[in-house]
Amino acid sequence: MRRFLTIVCVAAFQGCAPASGATQSALEPMGPASAELFRLIWFFTALSAVIWLAVIGVMITALVRRDRARADPLALDASRERRATGWVTVATGATAIVLIGLTLLSYFSNRTLAGIGADAALTIRITGHQWWWEIRYENEQPSRVLTTANEIHIPSGEPVRLVLASTDVIHSFWVPSLAGKLDLIPGHENVLELRADKPGVYRGQCAEFCGFQHAHMGIVIIAEPRAEFDAWLEHQLQPAPQPASGEEQAGHDLFMNRPCVMCHKIGGTTAGGIVGPNLTHVSSRTTLAAGTLPMDESSLAAWITDPQSIKPGAHMPVVDLGGDELRSIVAYLDRLK
Ligand code: CUA
C-alpha cells in the first residue's frame, strides 16, 4: 500500500518521465527558483494535511459524542452556547491567521524569485509558436544576436533572464527542475529569472494547452560551465558550414531553390525565412520538431518526407522531393552542425 501511494504521489508531482536522461521534476530542484517553490509547496501541503486531519478529527469526535435525544431539542443551554461560540471564534481566528501567514509566505517567495536574476548578464528572448520555441540571445551588437530553436544553452551557476512572448496563442514555459511555469502571451512580455546550480540537461514542456500539437512542444535547457557555454555561443554565431561533398552541395542548391527558404533561415546563405526554426546549426541540436524526434539523418528524412504523420497539424508543409533529392537535402542539413 505504501509503495502504491509513493508511486501515485511521485507520478502526480513528476509528470511524464523524460526519455533522454534529462531531469524534469519539480521534486528535484536544481536551482534557487525551483528550490524556493519546492519548499513552499511542501509547507503548504504539510500544513493543509494537518488542518485536514484536525477537521476530520473534530468531525469524528462530534459523531462519537453526539447527544442523546432530548425532550425538547430546541431548548437552549446557555453555558453550552457560550462554549460553542468560544470554539467557533478560536477556529475563525486560527483560519484567518493561517490564511494571512500563507499569503505572506507566497509574497516573500515571489520576492525571492524576482531577485534571482537581478544581476543577470544574459537575456534570452523566448517566443512561443505553434508548436516550437524560438530562442534569441540578445546582445547590444546586432552581429552577436543569436537565433536558434527549442534548445537553450545557459552557463551553470549564473542567473539568466528569460523574456517570454508569443506570436499566436498562449503557451506556457515550464522547466520544473529549474523554475515555476510562466505564460507566453501574444502582445505581452513576461520575465522569468532562473539559475541552474549544476551543469545538466533539464527538460521542459509547454504547460498551457495551445492546440493540436501542444503535447509535442518540448524544450530543453542545457546548463554547462561558462567556458563550454562561451565556446558553444561562438560556434553558433558562425555562419553555416559550407557543403563538403557533391551530395551536400546538391542538397544546398535544392534547399535554396525550393519553398524551404520561404520559412527557414540558414546563416551565410540566401535562405532567410523567419516563419520556421532557424536551421543554421540545426544538426548541433539534440532533438528535431521541439523534442519530438532525436536529431539524426533518419529523423530529418522522416520529418521532411511527411511532417503531418509525425506532428499532425504542424505548419511544416510537404515539399515534393524525389528519393535522391531527399537524400541530398538530408545530407546537407546533417552537415549543419
Ligand atoms: Cu504551446 Cu502548449
Side-chain angles (χ1 to χ4, degrees):
M1 185 63 187
R2 189 186 293 174
R3 210 166 141 207
F4 171 74
L5 282 177
T6 310
I7 291 169
V8 169
C9 290
V10 168
F13 278 103
Q14 199 155 5
C16 308
S20 56
T23 318
Q24 182 183 335
S25 168
L27 296 182
E28 277 178 63
M30 303 300 278
S34 48
E36 182 66 29
L37 293 170
F38 180 73
R39 277 194 294 273
L40 195 65
I41 192 171
W42 277 120
F43 187 81
F44 268 66
T45 307
L47 186 63
S48 305
V50 169
I51 292 170
W52 182 80
L53 284 174
V55 169
I56 295 296
V58 168
M59 221 168 71
I60 290 173
T61 313
L63 284 173
V64 170
R65 291 178 48 190
R66 75 174 161 232
D67 292 341
R68 272 169 275 114
R70 283 181 289 167
D72 179 3
L74 293 180
L76 289 178
D77 172 343
S79 75
R80 278 174 64 108
E81 284 299 305
R82 260 200 308 281
R83 259 184 297 144
T85 309
W87 279 113
V88 170
T89 310
V90 167
T92 309
T95 306
I97 289 170
V98 166
L99 287 178
I100 292 168
L102 291 181
T103 306
L104 281 176
L105 275 181
S106 294
Y107 169 75
F108 287 119
S109 282
N110 264 328
R111 246 181 30 165
T112 307
L113 295 181
I116 287 171
D119 52 352
L122 192 60
T123 298
I124 305 170
R125 203 183 159 76
I126 302 178
T127 308
H129 295 261
Q130 284 174 321
W131 289 274
W132 60 284
W133 311 84
E134 181 184 336
I135 319 284
R136 195 172 82 198
Y137 290 74
E138 302 286 26
N139 199 291
E140 284 166 8
Q141 292 168 256
S143 64
R144 294 193 60 80
V145 172
L146 167 68
T147 304
T148 175
N150 301 328
E151 234 170 71
I152 308 172
H153 286 244
I154 60 169
S156 57
E158 292 180 33
V160 292
R161 180 179 300 114
L162 308 179
V163 180
L164 310 177
S166 170
T167 52
D168 37 42
V169 299
I170 297 177
H171 304 270
S172 184
F173 182 89
W174 193 30
V175 180
S177 305
L178 295 181
K181 65 176 84 153
L182 193 61
D183 283 356
L184 299 91
I185 300 169
H188 174 83
E189 284 180 359
N190 273 333
V191 175
L192 182 70
E193 294 168 339
L194 57 82
R195 190 180 79 209
D197 286 334
K198 279 190 260 169
V201 180
Y202 306 102
R203 197 186 178 282
Q205 177 66 41
C206 179
E208 175 78 37
F209 181 70
C210 55
F212 210 1
Q213 288 300 326
H214 158 69
H216 283 143
M217 195 168 163
I219 182 120
V220 167
I221 293 186
I222 298 169
E224 51 204 358
R226 185 74 206 192
E228 270 175 51
F229 169 77
D230 286 341
W232 173 85
L233 189 64
E234 286 308 319
H235 176 72
Q236 295 286 318
L237 285 166
Q238 301 301 312
Q242 292 295 321
S245 68
E247 189 175 46
E248 287 170 13
Q249 185 63 50
H252 166 277
D253 297 347
L254 274 167
F255 193 99
M256 301 307 153
N257 290 296
R258 293 295 172 95
C260 318
V261 291
M262 306 298 287
C263 296
H264 296 287
K265 182 179 168 84
I266 297 181
T269 73
T270 51
I274 53 166
V275 177
N278 185 304
L279 300 182
T280 307
H281 295 280
V282 61
S283 278
S284 70
R285 305 202 274 262
T286 57
T287 69
L288 184 64
T292 310
L293 299 169
M295 180 64 73
D296 55 32
E297 283 187 87
S298 55
S299 295
L300 282 166
W303 177 245
I304 295 167
T305 306
D306 191 4
Q308 297 304 318
S309 72
I310 294 163
K311 239 172 135 166
H315 299 313
M316 166 100 172
V318 176
V319 177
D320 196 20
L321 295 168
D324 286 343
E325 292 176 324
L326 178 66
R327 261 192 296 280
S328 306
I329 285 197
V330 168
Y332 174 58
L333 293 177
D334 191 53
R335 165 99 181 124
L336 304 182
K337 296 267 193 280

